[in-house]
Amino acid sequence: MGSGERPALRVDLLGGFRLLAGGEQVTVSGGTERLVSFTALCGQAVPRTLLAGTLWPDRPERRAQASLRSALARLEAAGRLVLDIGSTEVRLSPAAGVDIGEARALARRVLDPGGRPAGADLSAAAVEALSVDLLPGWYDDWVVREAEEWHQLRLHALEALADDFVEAGRFADAVAAAGTAVRAEPLRESAHAALIRAHLAEGNQAEALRVFERYERLLSCELGLRPTPLVADLVAGLRASPSGEGRGHPLRPADQRARMSSRL
């Protein structure tokens, strides 16, 4: 690297904060972590007034602004590389990659009704990218809001990805994607439905029934509820009489979604 070149920069917020320069992790202060994280989550230039008011919400405006100036003045060298600081706004360096931005874009591509995931978007790496929480252990209000939005987005994307894997005949990947969604939100019915569809598509009726029965017990114990037809209908035929009367072939994911839409 020449003396005038800046090292490759990356900000990782999924699974915890990491700042990398030239592929090496850089240790920075907690104040720098918060400045970089909020700016990275915004994805655009952030007015200083917004930055100060968000990071120091309990202080009067003038004191919050003073705290921001002090925090910016104390930035380590790595923080000055990754943040472009202007007189009225702060933005992330255009040279910095951000994992949450990449993961959000992946989730939206998977959920795009006009397209079908392929290549890198239909892969185990995509499941992994959608499997991690945003800044776990951070409890600032602005982090909690962003983390919940990401949580919901990634769950929807994992469920959709599981069905896409089924359509592609990749059943192990389908089970992995749906199972990840179930572990992230054990009471989420649509996640269990995706997992059951994956098992049925592979011909594993016993696995599908076990998933349903575990969910049925959990839902009853935790909330006193019973599963809705979204998931109960998937295994209805598996609980038919021993003679097999009433059994049928499981619906494909697209047909199941169509049936449920018609009931709404």
Side-chain angles (χ1 to χ4, degrees):
M1 180 183 297
S3 59
E5 295 181 28
R6 290 159 60 118
L9 300 169
R10 183 168 182 81
V11 178
D12 287 346
L13 304 179
L14 297 176
F17 179 90
R18 288 201 312 161
L19 176 59
L20 297 102
E24 298 292 330
Q25 185 169 350
V26 179
T27 301
V28 294
S29 67
T32 297
E33 288 186 359
R34 294 172 75 244
L35 282 167
V36 172
S37 296
F38 182 74
T39 307
L41 284 170
C42 287
Q44 58 187 4
V46 184
R48 281 184 176 238
T49 52
L50 175 61
L51 195 55
T54 302
L55 298 185
W56 292 274
D58 299 328
R59 301 183 185 181
E61 182 178 351
R62 291 185 62 182
R63 287 190 61 195
Q65 290 278 8
S67 297
L68 175 60
R69 288 194 297 272
S70 177
L72 291 172
R74 293 195 307 269
L75 280 176
E76 299 91 339
R80 294 184 181 280
L81 277 177
V82 78
L83 292 177
D84 290 343
I85 303 168
S87 59
T88 62
E89 61 187 24
V90 177
R91 70 172 67 232
L92 202 68
S93 167
V98 184
D99 64 347
I100 183 61
E102 298 162 359
R104 283 169 171 166
L106 165 64
R108 292 185 182 112
R109 289 195 302 272
V110 169
L111 292 168
D112 181 2
R116 292 182 61 83
D121 288 352
L122 193 62
S123 66
V127 175
E128 183 177 357
L130 297 168
S131 299
V132 189
D133 287 328
L134 174 69
L135 293 173
W138 289 39
Y139 300 108
D140 306 75
D141 288 345
W142 56 274
V143 176
V144 172
R145 288 193 300 269
E146 294 280 354
E148 179 57 27
E149 288 181 9
W150 166 242
H151 184 67
Q152 291 299 321
L153 179 62
R154 76 181 184 90
L155 290 180
H156 281 99
L158 283 166
E159 292 164 7
L161 199 57
D163 287 343
D164 289 327
F165 278 128
V166 167
E167 295 289 344
R170 295 171 56 179
F171 304 119
D173 288 325
V175 169
T180 298
V182 167
R183 288 189 293 276
E185 198 64 71
L187 292 172
R188 186 177 175 92
E189 189 158 275
S190 53
H192 284 85
L195 182 56
I196 290 170
R197 285 195 296 268
H199 284 308
L200 290 175
E202 195 172 13
N204 292 326
Q205 297 181 349
E207 290 285 355
L209 191 55
R210 276 196 289 269
V211 170
F212 174 79
E213 290 176 344
R214 283 197 300 267
Y215 174 62
E216 187 177 42
R217 290 193 297 270
L218 179 64
L219 194 62
S220 177
C221 288
E222 294 290 330
L223 300 176
L225 298 175
R226 292 189 57 78
T228 73
L230 171 70
V231 64
D233 283 0
L234 290 170
V235 298
L238 305 183
R239 290 179 152 181
S241 63
S243 66
E245 182 180 353
R247 290 176 184 254
H249 295 291
L251 292 175
R252 293 183 305 116
D255 296 332
Q256 173 68 16
R257 290 195 296 269
R259 172 182 284 186
M260 293 310 302
S261 297
S262 69
R263 291 176 176 168
L264 298 179

